[in-house]
Amino acid sequence: MAMSKLSAAGRYDPLHMAEFDPSTHPHRRFNPLIKEYVLVSPHRTKRPWLGQLEPPQATTLPKYDPACYLCPGNSRTSGQKQPVYENTHSFENDFAAVLPVAPEAPTPLHPLMTVEPVHGACDVIIFHPRHDLTMSRLQPKEIEQVIEEWIRIYVMRGTQEGIKYVQLFENKGAMMGCSNPHPHGQSWAHSFVPTIPAQELRSLKQYALTGSQVSEAPKGPGDRPCLLCEYAHAEVKVAKDEGRVVVSNNHWVALVPWWATWPFEILLLPYRRHIAALDELEEEEKQAFAEILSKVTRRYDNLFSCSFAYSMGIHQRPVPVPKGSTHPVDDEKQFAHLHLHFDPPLLRSATVRKFLVGYELMGEAQRDLTPEQAAARLRDLNEVHYLENLQE
């Protein structure tokens, strides 16, 4: 549809008509995973900012902090001591969001006020003994140890009685609610499938059962089309300087999704074959996974020359498939495709972040910078960490 041409001041001139340009004109994009839209307003990127500025994050931390409850040999908040670990280390969270046992729910006061008891367990996954090394500063071989620990916990928790879902995630940076800068992530395992991954699984199932294979992308279970296989296949076919791919290798692709909400959001997933969960990865795929995690997180830090804040979560099959068992054809879990979401808040600099407020809370998600523009900025960054350049 023809629209008014933008003036130099960023306002529309109704006397001039122009062809639709997604890098200039407001539009909506649909997220087929969660069945929601995002409003894209690229003409707002020149909007002046006089709002909140985040305090600069510390660029240098000690290798060991005697006050840190995650450093080797130190006391946890529970009073227990951490072992003097030399690699990735995990322990049960002292402040777990769910508990191992849940009592029966009371009778609801009204059908609109129901209670569902939940149970489970939470773990803390320390990536490295060094207090000052986030994932972006680790070597790929060290990241492989993190991946192995993710797999171990996913299988351990996912095979426990009553557990229906295991969520692995990392909050990096104080502005994302991280309470300790020591590099670590978490695992929450519980007796229900949470809202967002549940919707993704429904969407993946719907596409598999009703969608059509429109490319030579890998297929999912039952030789059916997979939404994420199709999407990744389409993205890697786009010309590098026009698309949303940030970095890729022989097994994985990291891209700013077509429907991204956060300014520099990244979707990371395997694209050569359909993989439902971490425990299905082959050795070569694990190595490639570690390499691309290193490249993504280094690009993030290099964007604004800071320890780049984000929330990262792994979505996959809710729990491992017990050996020798099969899922019924209508079971949503069988349609899962392993992928990672990186949701970073920073927008214009190390101190200016995006807020999900106002219209975005009451209407729908909105962004200014287009996914294509964000991908181009990330793609053009150096893969050598900025702190390593400073040390030379």
Side-chain angles (χ1 to χ4, degrees), residues 22-37:
S23 67
T24 303
H25 298 121
H27 59 281
R28 297 169 87 202
R29 299 192 185 191
F30 183 65
N31 182 339
L33 276 176
I34 58 174
K35 304 291 187 184
E36 292 182 2
Y37 283 90

Side-chain angles (χ1 to χ4, degrees), residues 64-133:
Y64 167 77
D65 183 349
C68 171
Y69 51 85
L70 299 183
C71 279
N74 288 358
S75 294
R76 288 160 39 187
T77 52
S78 64
Q80 293 179 274
K81 277 202 168 187
Q82 297 284 11
V84 184
Y85 61 92
E86 298 181 353
N87 298 297
T88 303
H89 170 64
S90 299
F91 64 93
E92 194 159 347
N93 199 323
D94 295 326
F95 297 94
V98 290
L99 301 174
V101 179
E104 291 293 323
T107 302
L109 296 174
H110 187 278
L112 295 177
M113 296 184 285
T114 61
V115 173
E116 177 188 343
V118 299
H119 68 272
C122 299
D123 299 286
V124 176
I125 306 166
I126 307 176
F127 296 163
H128 195 275
R130 283 269 297 269
H131 185 77
D132 60 333
L133 296 184

Side-chain angles (χ1 to χ4, degrees), residues 28 54 65 87 131 138 224 295 315 334 381 390:
R28 297 169 87 202
E54 302 297 325
D65 183 349
N87 298 297
H131 185 77
L138 299 181
R224 296 185 178 89
K295 291 180 177 181
H315 284 173
Q334 73 158 320
L381 291 167
L390 292 175

Side-chain angles (χ1 to χ4, degrees), residues 177-192:
C178 183
S179 59
N180 189 321
H182 195 118
H184 72 284
Q186 297 184 54
S187 166
W188 291 14
H190 38 59
S191 54
F192 64 96

Side-chain angles (χ1 to χ4, degrees), residues 136-137 294-303 305 380-392:
S136 62
R137 304 293 310 284
S294 175
K295 291 180 177 181
V296 165
T297 53
R298 281 173 177 250
R299 276 180 163 83
Y300 270 164
D301 281 9
N302 288 346
L303 181 61
S305 297
D380 291 342
L381 291 167
N382 198 314
E383 290 182 357
V384 177
H385 198 276
Y386 77 96
L387 288 178
E388 294 176 23
N389 284 328
L390 292 175
Q391 293 167 1
E392 292 180 356

